[in-house]
Amino acid sequence: MASFKISDELIGRIETLIEEKNNHELTQLLGDLHYADIAEIIHELAIKDGVYIIRLIDAEKTSDVLTELDDDYRDKILENLSAKEIADELIELDTDDAVDIISELSEERKTEVISYIEDVEHAKDIVELLRYDDNTAGGLMAKELVKVNENWNVLKCVKEMREQAAYVTRVHSIYVVDDHDVLKGRLSLKDLLTTSTRSEVKDIYIPKVDYVYVTDTAEEVAHIMSKYDLEAIPVVDEMKRLVGRITIDDIVDVIKEGAEKDYQLAAGITNDVEADDSVWKLTLARLPWLLIGMFGGLGAASIINGFQDAMNKYPILLIFIPLIQATAGNVGVQSSAIVVQGLANNTIDGAIIKRLLKEFLLGLINGGTIAGIVILVSHFAFQAEYLVSITVAIALVTVIVNAAVIGTFIPILLHKRGIDPAVATGPFITTSNDVLGILIYFFIAKNILGF
């Protein structure tokens, strides 16, 4: 399938059709498009035009379109829909997607929308899922699944599965429970098809099955599903009763949101923001780290100011300050990024000393290589005295090793204290290494050059 692309011509055509209220042609134009493509189109339209399209297309596609919209845009769309219109859309969605939408409404509006849902069981499932925190397995799971009783024979099993499958968008697994709904295992479709219809499920099901508890965090669920390459995983309560399932599409969203958050933290943005947020919100997200950078810069300036005599005697030392700061910052970010990734994948725990020693060795090798190049460049390109070149080289090696160790140690320390280590890959690491780098640089210069 060719990739869908939005053009100014297409958006203009849709806006014209909406203005003319040409529903027939507009429906034909949108009819063959995937719901994700329609959501992409709506993002380019004014809110009133987006609402017009939502009301125009059929309910089954509309519900999927709503799940694809950005949260802020969807909120604005929902504000323009009546409680009954929202309820009509929710009935077409799996319970987890329905909860994602309804959870964004006010308490009063939630109650009103739920009262309009005609399917009582669907409404009860939504209300149950709303009790769970968004960042838990309970908040991620859907109630729709296929389960069979261990005491059924294959013939009854198939009959019951047909009825259940009508309410499930995609059947990933068949779960086996006992009379109390306690999860016992899973049923292979191959075994089901190749076994006598008189056989009992308890004789053919697979007892080994991965599962998570409703209280497990989204990150823990993502780790398990990623580690064992699962398309879906059952969710159980404290008594190990089967209460729902989580599918891979929900986990992809969790991973994506986590990556976006970590990227923002690494860039020095403390809050979850979007490019089209208000100037005030963007300022609040960025300013804290900019202030840290400012104080770091003032600290570095104060150190340089304390070595005015050295500057007067060896003015060439000023030339290499940007090199010292940039190298220290880059090395620190590189080291911390690797550690943060390892912590996220649970590959660092128990190997902290080994990790520090490895970064120390890497710092020596990289520092030695860069220092060798700097000695040649400083001596032949800048006509620096041989002793000055040696001073810069030694300082570089020391600064690089120091930055590598700090970039490794800080994320691990934050992780041990329960703080998100992603913050360590941002301006905090860069600023601390800049200040320490300058301090180390002049300390070594003072001891070698004797000023």
Side-chain angles (χ1 to χ4, degrees), residues 83 149 258 421 437:
N149 191 292

Side-chain angles (χ1 to χ4, degrees), residues 290-303 325 431-432 434-435:
L290 294 178
L291 290 173
I292 289 177
M294 179 199 73
F295 285 115
L298 290 174
S302 175
I303 293 171
Q325 288 183 311
T431 303
S432 61
D434 281 352
V435 175

Side-chain angles (χ1 to χ4, degrees), residues 3-295:
S3 176
F4 174 78
K5 292 183 180 179
I6 289 182
S7 64
D8 292 338
E9 182 182 353
L10 175 62
I11 297 300
R13 179 62 179 155
I14 290 173
E15 290 174 337
T16 300
L17 292 174
I18 293 174
E19 187 177 351
E20 296 174 349
K21 292 185 168 46
N22 189 340
N23 294 346
H24 176 70
E25 190 170 339
L26 187 57
T27 302
Q28 284 187 322
L29 181 61
L30 300 174
D32 294 331
L33 294 180
H34 190 275
Y35 59 81
D37 296 332
I38 296 177
E40 192 176 345
I41 289 173
I42 290 177
H43 277 129
E44 300 297 321
L45 300 173
I47 296 297
K48 64 179 181 64
D49 292 339
V51 172
Y52 189 94
I53 289 179
I54 289 293
R55 285 174 170 156
L56 177 66
I57 57 182
D58 65 87
E60 185 175 352
K61 182 171 282 190
T62 301
S63 58
D64 289 326
V65 170
L66 285 173
T67 63
E68 290 292 320
L69 294 174
D70 290 341
D71 292 346
D72 291 340
Y73 196 98
R74 183 168 60 219
D75 288 344
K76 295 173 184 176
I77 293 286
L78 295 177
E79 287 173 6
N80 288 272
L81 297 177
S82 68
K84 188 176 188 314
E85 286 176 319
I86 296 173
D88 290 341
E89 305 304 340
L90 296 184
I91 200 65
E92 299 293 337
L93 289 171
D94 286 344
T95 46
D96 58 334
D97 292 327
V99 168
D100 287 342
I101 292 175
I102 201 172
S103 62
E104 298 171 8
L105 305 175
S106 66
E107 292 300 322
E108 181 181 350
R109 198 147 158 81
K110 280 180 191 174
T111 303
E112 187 180 3
V113 169
I114 291 172
S115 69
Y116 278 109
I117 298 177
E118 296 179 357
D119 188 330
V120 177
E121 289 301 317
H122 195 63
K124 284 172 60 179
D125 288 340
I126 290 174
V127 171
E128 180 185 344
L129 293 183
L130 283 169
R131 295 190 294 110
Y132 297 107
D133 187 274
D134 290 343
N135 197 43
T136 63
L140 288 174
M141 72 180 181
K143 300 293 289 184
E144 292 83 6
L145 50 78
V146 175
K147 65 179 180 179
V148 298
N149 191 292
E150 63 177 345
N151 297 314
W152 293 348
N153 61 33
V154 170
L155 187 61
K156 183 177 181 180
C157 180
V158 172
K159 180 182 177 182
E160 293 289 338
M161 284 171 54
R162 284 175 179 170
E163 294 182 10
Q164 295 177 32
Y167 302 98
V168 181
T169 305
R170 182 177 297 174
V171 179
H172 293 89
S173 299
I174 305 165
Y175 302 115
V176 180
V177 297
D178 64 12
D179 294 334
H180 303 289
D181 262 352
V182 173
L183 180 65
K184 306 296 289 186
R186 57 189 174 87
L187 187 59
S188 162
L189 184 58
K190 178 181 177 181
D191 292 340
L192 188 66
L193 294 174
T194 58
T195 304
S196 168
T197 56
R198 291 187 295 274
S199 300
E200 291 189 344
V201 172
K202 62 184 176 184
D203 294 326
I204 61 173
Y205 81 84
I206 303 167
K208 186 180 185 308
V209 59
D210 297 300
Y211 60 88
V212 293
Y213 288 98
V214 288
T215 53
D216 288 344
T217 66
E219 289 75 17
E220 289 171 335
V221 177
H223 173 67
I224 292 172
M225 293 188 69
S226 174
K227 181 178 180 180
Y228 298 111
D229 198 20
L230 303 174
E231 290 187 356
I233 192 168
V235 183
V236 300
D237 63 12
E238 294 79 1
M239 298 175 65
K240 207 184 170 185
R241 292 176 300 190
L242 181 63
V243 292
R245 65 161 184 170
I246 298 172
T247 52
I248 189 64
D249 57 313
D250 297 311
I251 292 305
V252 168
D253 291 339
V254 170
I255 295 171
K256 181 181 176 182
E257 289 171 8
E260 289 175 351
K261 179 183 176 183
D262 288 349
Y263 182 81
Q264 289 182 348
L265 287 170
I269 300 175
T270 55
N271 297 327
D272 188 11
V273 292
E274 301 288 343
D276 57 354
D277 283 338
S278 67
V279 172
W280 177 245
K281 187 175 181 180
L282 291 170
T283 299
L284 290 177
R286 300 180 186 183
L287 188 58
W289 285 109
L290 294 178
L291 290 173
I292 289 177
M294 179 199 73
F295 285 115

Side-chain angles (χ1 to χ4, degrees), residues 425-436:
T425 62
F428 178 73
I429 288 289
T430 304
T431 303
S432 61
N433 279 325
D434 281 352
V435 175
L436 286 174

Side-chain angles (χ1 to χ4, degrees), residues 223 338-352 355:
H223 173 67
I338 295 296
V339 174
V340 169
Q341 184 183 41
L343 290 171
N345 296 331
N346 291 324
T347 58
I348 294 286
D349 289 346
I352 298 175
R355 182 77 246 176

